[in-house]
Amino acid sequence: MSIEDDRNELSEFQKSLKYKIVKVGDIVEEVHWIAVDDDDLLMGTVVAVEKGMYNQVQWFEFSDDRITIKWFKTGQLEKLPSCYIKIVSNISKD
């Protein structure tokens, strides 16, 4: 793969990333491109949100939040950029 091809691929990846407003208590699912098994995506609940923690990452064109997720299946905690998950259910705004 040439450097130009790599740049084009990165550009397409960047276009697919979107900022998501995620709150503690939201139910989320990992996206297929970070999953260990495409057929068994992890689902979990957001237990912490750190606003604007990713603001100088070359493949993000926006400042993103770091979220901590407790996965239902494994019980493990994982920190990820919020654009790396899909929101399944939002908590109410109260």
Side-chain angles (χ1 to χ4, degrees), residues 2 6 12 16-17 20 23 25 34 37 39 41 43 45 47 51 53 59 61 70 72 84-85 91:
S2 72
D6 191 42
E12 288 305 309
S16 73
L17 296 175
K20 297 176 183 79
K23 298 177 292 300
I34 67 162
D37 182 356
D39 296 325
L41 299 176
M43 193 174 291
T45 188
V47 296
K51 296 284 187 190
M53 294 300 290
W59 57 88
E61 293 179 351
K70 183 168 185 173
F72 296 140
Y84 280 22
I85 53 88
I91 62 165

Side-chain angles (χ1 to χ4, degrees), residues 42-88:
L42 291 176
M43 193 174 291
T45 188
V46 176
V47 296
V49 177
E50 299 169 85
K51 296 284 187 190
M53 294 300 290
Y54 300 103
N55 57 13
Q56 293 184 350
V57 179
Q58 73 179 24
W59 57 88
F60 293 178
E61 293 179 351
F62 51 88
S63 179
D64 204 6
D65 303 334
R66 178 167 49 204
I67 60 172
T68 303
I69 304 162
K70 183 168 185 173
W71 298 117
F72 296 140
K73 183 175 183 177
T74 65
Q76 292 180 309
L77 295 175
E78 183 174 14
K79 292 180 185 244
L80 294 170
S82 66
C83 65
Y84 280 22
I85 53 88
K86 178 171 55 172
I87 298 172
V88 175

